[in-house]
Amino acid sequence: MNYYSIKSIPSSIFSFLESLLAPCFLLPILLLFCFLPMSIPVHASAVHASSAKLSLLILSDTQKTMEIGEESSFTAVTSEFKQPTFKSSSNIVSITFDQRSAFRYRFLITAKKAGTATITIRCGSARATCKITVKKTVLKLNKKSISLQRNSSFQLSASASNHSFLQFKSSKSSVASVDSTGLITAKKAGETTITVTANGGSAVCRVTVVRPTIKLSSSSLSLYKNQTHVLTASVSSKETPKWSSSKKSVAIISPDGTITALKHGTTVITARLDGTERTCIVTVKPPTIVLNKTDILLYVGQSTTLCAVVSSHCQPKFKSSRSSIVSVDSSGHLFAQKVGEAMIYVSEDGTKVGCRVHVLSKH
């Protein structure tokens, strides 16, 4: 057997050769190939001749480069009066017979995944090949790494070289989640990887959710009983921290940061958020009490008022050590009952002062 090959046929010459394969021109061409071995620079073909019979097979392409998912076609022109057979060396592409017109046959190729394949076409004693290269899907991201605050979001944009469908996935959705459009939402401090895939291609974006910073308006406070103070927190993530008091009997704090002093002592107010905390030491001071008198002389049946000035502006408690001699009400009004001495004590939140009262007889 003798083989004749024709390579790199320009499209205009290929169309011309197609027309020559019409029945009226076929016999002279076959005789020409039998007696005149040759190698013509053309686009894609193979000619196989034997002493018994000559078969002519010309392909429109000897090689193609495709994207995954892309469809393309090539044409085979043959001298045989039958449909050529075809076979692919790899399943990265699929090939189907598309249509026939006289001696012209069209084959449809669909690229499935990256790689190379050789498609072999046979007709009679002739054979021709076409090499198919399917390119890998290349993904491009607008960011390869980002840092986010909790509850903030970022739009991750991705594009595929073959415009194929994109899929997004987070390795730790508890740290940061991603939806089908690539919108990333930070949930808690930590690290995760967002992977974008498309037709075997992939790209990653590393996401770090940083711990928030907290700054308090005060690191220490001094209050009196019943006084209030609003402690403010500046948080980098714009969230509201959770407040707590180490000694609720001394002072409490509301969700909006309002501290209320309850009694003298010390407590620690803590603002917490996502693993970050800041503290403020609150001291509730015992008040000072100043009396208008520290020693009083009364006669039986007389009365007077003991005045107390309390620094915390709270109402003090009055108590007589011997109420049978001198009685006192809640407002500090004293009444001499009988001859003798008694102490009037004034107290408020841990502070206690006294006034001595002498009661004499009228006679």
Side-chain angles (χ1 to χ4, degrees), residues 248-265:
K248 294 181 180 179
S249 59
V250 173
I252 58 174
I253 185 166
S254 63
D256 66 354
T258 301
I259 301 170
T260 301
L262 301 179
K263 74 171 187 177
H264 71 281

Side-chain angles (χ1 to χ4, degrees), residues 261-278:
L262 301 179
K263 74 171 187 177
H264 71 281
T266 301
T267 185
V268 178
I269 301 297
T270 303
R272 292 185 177 88
L273 180 65
D274 198 21
T276 300
E277 62 179 49
R278 290 292 181 271

Side-chain angles (χ1 to χ4, degrees), residues 45 97 116 121 144 154 165 218 223 225 228 232 243 257-258 280:
S45 73
F97 177 71
T116 59
I121 307 296
K144 293 184 178 179
F154 176 81
F165 177 73
S218 300
L223 300 173
K225 178 183 174 181
T228 61
T232 60
W243 300 98
T258 301
C280 175

Side-chain angles (χ1 to χ4, degrees), residues 25-37 54:
F25 294 108
L26 181 57
L27 184 58
I29 292 175
L30 293 180
L31 292 174
L32 177 63
F33 272 91
C34 289
F35 295 103
L36 183 61
L54 176 68

